[in-house]
């Protein structure tokens, strides 16, 4: 654009002029100010411009911290520019401010706008580039309106630097920027923007990833080493680094929990033992048998392990718990001997999510005692499990699902006898439900139960009324993903999904 | 119910429900989406049952649910859910 060379000077000079002449105040009255300033800036000759550039930048640097003020000043300048250069109205300016503000960093909203429509595009491109971390892309965009880019970048950088550093540094940057060539300046600005974007990007990524990413793996190694250091006479043959499969780790964890459960009778120290090993398992996998043996031994050694484990516990407990809970469920299917026992153990004792898998192996002397006790303890809960197997277990498992729902709805602690009564109620309910559905289907001369049958049932139950239609219940009680499946929506082309 | 992006955390146990109904009424067929509605029905039933149970608990000035509360509540709700 023809305005490109002029813009560079005008924006800066205008800014400078504004900063010099009028005290920066609230950006509200940008319109009025712009008009007044435009008239004043018109008077300012071009001769000033080049001289004032650097001062402008420095001034910008100084005033940058007061962001709203800058926005106001910039807005004024932008408005001036528009009045002077183009037909840009305050409205368009503000629009651009909004556009760029959302795109770019919060720090540099107005300056970017002050350029022109081109800068907006350029900024977008630059932003894209910064986000994608691609310098070469910047350069072609830079060539389009290098000066504008420079200005925008520099200003952006200025703001950023000021935000991050002190004003002096910002001034230094500004001076550097002015001295540098556009490309390098852009690069530096881009890198700074890179840094910014990177900084901003990091936390959300870490938040997104569940569990493992958050927990620093370094902790594990440190703990392991500490353990090993403290427990000198423990033959840590089985223990390895945190590079073991998570599965085994979790299983070891479960084992540990089961062991701890068994050891509860023995002493409370077992828990810390299990917790510490589970910690390691959280992060990475450990060999199951190694862990189990280690955990056993760890329990055998109460004294030494206890202290160490406690320390590990605290550190790892929080982390491990979350991961434990996630991994516990898949881990229930035991693989090795120990793991086979542990799930039942867990069910019996209601696994505590423990963190640590491998604790420092306790001395071998005690191992003889504990292992004998542990398998016995393990067998005890195991005997409970065998009962009416097939008709009951999956059935009860499914019903337990609904028991959980009931507990959630009730919000009051329940007794064991109450849960059994609940199971009976559910059984009875399902029986009546099936009978009703069959009756309805038969009444309609069908052998398949349709949705209409269920709706009729709900109506008769008093769940669905004229006030409360069926789909409202779906929205209330079912997860969001089911709405698409259950509530027919009209799609384009005269089709309804799901098909009625 | 936690809102899950891809994995549904509170899934309806569709297989369990279908097997349940099949066991009870082998001659009965189920439409494909019907078991979800059955699940909805179960949730609503449990909800009403829980409400009634809580009322029973508060009436007896307890703070823990006991089986007598549940049984008394179930009497009422099962009668309601008769259809």
């Amino acid at each position: 654009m023809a305005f490109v060379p002029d813009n560079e000077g005008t924006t800066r000079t205008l800014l400078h002029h504004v900063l010099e002449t009028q005290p920066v105040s609230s950006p509200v009255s940008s319109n009025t100010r712009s008009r007044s300033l435009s008239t004043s800036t018109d008077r300012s000759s071009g001769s000033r411009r080049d001289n004032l550039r650097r001062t402008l930048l420095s001034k910008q640097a100084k005033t940058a911290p007061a962001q709203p003020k800058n926005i106001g000043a910039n807005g004024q300048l932008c408005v001036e520019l528009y009045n002077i250069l183009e037909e840009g109205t305050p409205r368009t300016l503000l629009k651009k401010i909004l556009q760029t503000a959302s795109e770019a960093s919060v720090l540099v909203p107005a300056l970017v706008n002050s350029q022109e429509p081109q800068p907006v595009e350029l900024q977008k491109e630059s932003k894209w580039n910064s986000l994608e971390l691609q310098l070469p892309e910047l350069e072609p965009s830079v060539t389009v309106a290098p000066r504008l880019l420079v200005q925008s970048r520099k200003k952006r950088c200025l703001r950023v630097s000021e935000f991050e550093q002190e004003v002096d540094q910002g001034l230094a940057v500004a001076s550097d920027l002015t001295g540098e060539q556009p490309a390098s300046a852009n690069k530096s600005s881009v890198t700074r923007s890179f840094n910014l974007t990177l900084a901003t990007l990091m936390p959300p990524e870490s938040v997104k990833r569940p569990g493992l990413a958050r927990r620093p793996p370094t902790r594990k190694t440190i703990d392991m080493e500490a353990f090993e250091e403290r427990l000198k006479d423990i033959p840590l043959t089985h223990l390895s680094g945190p590079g073991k499969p998570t599965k085994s780790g979790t299983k070891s964890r479960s084992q540990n929990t089961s062991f701890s459960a068994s050891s509860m009778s023995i002493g409370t120290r077992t828990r810390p033992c299990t917790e510490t090993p589970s910690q390691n398992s959280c992060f990475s996998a450990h060999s199951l048998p190694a862990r189990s043996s280690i955990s056993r031994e760890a329990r055998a050694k109460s004294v030494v392990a206890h202290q160490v484990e406690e320390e590990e516990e605290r550190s790892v407990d929080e982390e491990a718990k979350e991961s434990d809970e996630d991994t516990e469920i898949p881990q229930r299917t035991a693989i090795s001997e120990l793991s086979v026992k542990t799930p039942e153990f867990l069910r019996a004792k209601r696994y505590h999510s423990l963190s640590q898998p491998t604790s420092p192996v306790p001395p071998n002397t005690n191992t003889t005692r504990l292992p004998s006790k542990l398998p016995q303890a393990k067998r005890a809960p195991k005997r409970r499990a065998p009962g009416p197997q097939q008709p009951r277990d999956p059935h009860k498992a499914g019903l337990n699902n609904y028991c959980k729902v009931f507990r959630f709805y009730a919000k009051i602690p329940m007794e064991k006898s109450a849960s059994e009564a609940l199971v009976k109620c559910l059984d009875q309910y399902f029986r009546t439900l099936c009978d009703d559905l069959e009756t309805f289907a038969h009444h309609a001369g069908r052998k398949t139960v349709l949705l209409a049958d269920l709706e009729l049932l709900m109506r008769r139950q008093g769940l669905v009324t004229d006030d409360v239609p069926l789909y409202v219940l779906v929205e209330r009680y079912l997860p969001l993903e089911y709405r698409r499946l259950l509530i027919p929506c009209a799609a384009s082309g005269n089709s309804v999904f799901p098909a009625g | 119910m936690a809102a899950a992006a891809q994995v549904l955390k509170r899934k309806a146990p569709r297989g369990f429900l279908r097997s349940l109904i099949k066991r009870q009424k082998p001659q009965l067929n189920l439409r494909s989406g019907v078991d979800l509605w059955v699940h909805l029905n179960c949730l609503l039933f449990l909800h009403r049952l829980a409400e009634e149970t809580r009322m029973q608990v508060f009436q007896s000035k307890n703070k823990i649910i006991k089986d007598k509360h549940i049984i008394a509540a179930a009497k009422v709700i099962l009668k309601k859910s008769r259809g």
Side-chain angles (χ1 to χ4, degrees):
Chain A
M1 291 184 64
F3 289 116
V4 170
D6 293 334
N7 288 338
E8 184 189 6
T10 50
T11 47
R12 292 202 179 157
T13 51
L14 285 171
L15 266 175
H16 180 66
H17 186 75
V18 170
L19 291 168
E20 280 182 341
T21 55
Q22 298 192 5
V24 181
S25 63
S26 67
V28 175
S29 60
S30 62
N31 293 336
T32 56
R33 280 219 164 188
S34 66
R35 283 166 208 159
S36 63
L37 284 171
S38 64
T39 55
S40 63
T41 51
D42 282 330
R43 291 163 205 160
S44 68
S45 62
S47 60
R48 279 196 204 175
R49 295 174 185 179
D50 296 336
N51 300 331
L52 295 174
R53 268 194 207 178
R54 295 176 188 179
T55 51
L56 246 186
L57 286 174
S58 63
K59 287 238 169 180
Q60 286 176 9
K62 285 179 189 171
T63 56
Q67 290 176 7
K69 291 186 181 178
N70 286 328
I71 292 167
N74 292 328
Q76 296 164 8
L77 284 173
C78 296
V79 177
E80 292 170 9
L81 271 180
Y82 271 114
N83 290 336
I84 296 167
L85 304 169
E86 288 185 43
E87 300 166 351
T89 58
R91 190 178 291 172
T92 54
L93 263 180
L94 287 174
K95 252 194 214 171
K96 297 215 167 149
I97 289 170
L98 287 173
Q99 285 173 6
T100 52
S102 59
E103 292 171 7
S105 66
V106 182
L107 299 170
V108 188
L111 281 176
V112 173
N113 293 324
S114 64
Q115 303 290 312
E116 268 184 33
Q118 274 189 1
V120 173
E121 296 168 7
L122 291 170
Q123 289 150 16
K124 284 179 188 173
E125 288 177 6
S126 64
K127 235 215 157 183
W128 265 113
N129 295 329
S130 64
L131 284 174
E132 297 168 4
L133 305 178
Q134 291 175 5
L135 273 173
E137 282 185 11
L138 273 173
E139 291 175 331
S141 65
V142 170
T143 57
V144 174
R147 292 186 185 177
L148 286 172
L149 266 181
V150 169
Q151 285 180 357
S152 63
R153 293 293 157 73
K154 285 180 189 175
K155 286 171 188 175
R156 212 187 271 169
C157 298
L158 276 175
R159 303 249 156 151
V160 171
S161 62
E162 286 162 8
F163 188 77
E164 293 176 352
Q165 305 159 7
E166 297 175 357
V167 174
D168 294 337
Q169 291 180 358
L171 285 173
V173 166
S175 63
D176 290 338
L177 285 173
T178 53
E180 289 173 358
Q181 291 189 359
S184 58
N186 289 330
K187 279 183 188 176
S188 61
S189 65
V190 166
T191 51
R192 274 186 220 105
S193 63
F194 285 169
N195 294 334
L196 270 185
T197 53
L198 282 173
T200 53
L201 278 175
M202 282 310 293
E205 282 173 2
S206 62
V207 168
K208 279 174 202 169
R209 284 183 216 158
L212 292 178
R214 253 186 252 157
R215 288 142 204 177
T218 55
R219 266 198 202 176
K220 269 195 301 185
T221 53
I222 293 168
D223 292 330
M224 288 293 295
E225 292 167 0
F227 266 69
E228 291 177 24
E229 284 176 6
R230 287 166 200 161
L231 306 173
K232 296 170 187 175
D233 49 343
I234 296 168
L236 295 175
T237 54
H238 302 284
L239 281 177
S240 58
K244 296 169 188 175
T246 54
K247 255 199 175 180
S248 59
T250 55
K251 282 178 190 168
S252 61
R253 223 185 309 146
S254 63
Q255 292 172 6
N256 294 328
T257 58
S258 63
F259 288 138
S260 63
S262 60
S263 65
M264 282 292 283
S265 58
I266 303 168
T268 54
R269 56 189 181 166
T270 57
R271 269 209 202 153
C273 298
T274 58
E275 288 173 349
T276 53
S278 62
Q279 184 183 22
N280 293 325
S281 65
C282 296
F283 300 106
S284 64
H286 301 266
S287 59
L288 261 179
R291 288 283 171 87
S292 56
S293 59
I294 292 165
S295 56
R296 277 192 220 159
E297 293 172 344
R299 287 182 206 117
K301 286 208 163 184
S302 57
V303 180
V304 184
H306 185 54
Q307 299 168 358
V308 185
E309 291 158 358
E310 278 180 343
E311 294 175 6
E312 282 192 354
E313 266 182 36
R314 293 159 207 158
S315 60
V316 180
D317 235 352
E318 300 169 356
E319 298 175 347
K321 270 184 187 173
E322 297 175 9
S323 63
D324 283 344
E325 289 166 3
D326 296 335
T327 52
E328 262 181 359
I329 298 166
Q331 295 307 327
R332 278 175 208 172
T333 59
I335 297 178
S336 65
E337 300 174 1
L338 297 171
S339 57
V340 169
K341 293 175 186 174
T342 55
E344 299 185 12
F345 228 118
L346 289 173
R347 285 172 204 150
K349 302 276 182 173
R350 295 210 179 162
Y351 6 71
H352 308 275
S353 63
L354 299 179
S355 53
Q356 301 284 331
T358 56
S359 57
V361 181
N364 293 327
T365 56
N366 298 332
T367 55
T368 54
R369 275 185 255 147
L370 280 182
S372 61
K373 284 185 189 175
L374 288 169
Q376 286 174 9
K378 283 184 248 166
R379 279 169 215 151
K382 219 185 181 181
R383 279 174 217 141
R384 271 203 242 161
Q389 281 185 355
Q390 271 199 349
R392 223 188 148 201
D393 272 353
H395 183 82
K396 223 176 168 206
L399 282 184
N400 279 333
N401 202 348
Y402 285 115
C403 291
K404 285 185 199 168
V405 175
F406 177 83
R407 267 193 221 114
F408 169 72
Y409 282 143
K411 300 186 191 359
I412 305 176
M414 275 180 60
E415 281 185 355
K416 296 288 171 72
S417 56
S419 341
E420 288 165 16
L422 177 64
V423 166
K424 281 186 206 162
C425 293
L426 274 176
D427 263 339
Q428 179 62 36
Y429 164 74
F430 277 121
R431 254 178 240 130
T432 50
L433 180 79
C434 292
D435 288 338
D436 291 341
L437 287 177
E438 191 191 9
T439 322
F440 292 152
H442 185 72
H443 180 77
R446 284 185 262 110
K447 283 189 188 170
T448 24
V449 179
L450 290 189
L451 172 59
D453 297 331
L454 268 167
E455 186 176 356
L456 181 60
L457 175 69
M458 289 215 247
R459 206 164 253 281
R460 286 184 65 124
Q461 284 179 348
L463 292 167
V464 175
T465 63
D466 295 333
D467 296 332
V468 183
L470 189 61
Y471 303 123
V472 168
L473 293 174
V474 170
E475 286 177 11
R476 271 190 216 160
Y477 288 96
L478 290 184
L480 184 65
E481 287 75 9
Y482 282 134
R483 283 191 216 172
R484 198 179 69 91
L485 291 178
L486 294 177
I487 302 178
C489 292
S492 73
N494 221 17
S495 64
V496 177
F497 178 81
Chain B
M1 295 184 292
Q6 285 164 3
V7 177
L8 206 52
K9 295 224 171 146
R10 279 291 167 101
K11 280 193 190 153
R14 302 184 71 170
F16 170 70
L17 289 172
R18 290 182 76 101
S19 60
L20 199 68
I21 295 180
K22 268 296 176 186
R23 221 183 301 146
Q24 289 270 320
K25 306 268 171 209
Q27 69 277 11
L28 199 60
N29 289 333
L30 273 181
R31 217 49 194 289
S32 62
V34 157
D35 49 358
L36 289 173
W37 291 101
V38 170
H39 176 71
L40 175 65
N41 217 359
C42 297
L43 289 182
L44 289 164
F45 167 75
L46 286 170
H47 189 74
R48 285 203 285 189
L49 189 63
E51 285 293 320
E52 188 65 30
T53 313
R54 282 176 63 163
M55 276 175 49
Q56 294 278 336
V57 167
F58 292 146
Q59 271 177 9
S60 67
K61 293 179 190 168
N62 264 342
K63 293 213 177 157
I64 302 177
I65 296 177
K66 304 212 163 153
D67 50 354
K68 59 181 177 182
H69 302 135
I70 291 195
I71 290 170
K75 275 191 197 164
V76 178
I77 302 293
L78 280 172
K79 196 140 204 288
K80 258 194 185 178
S81 312
R82 232 174 352 109

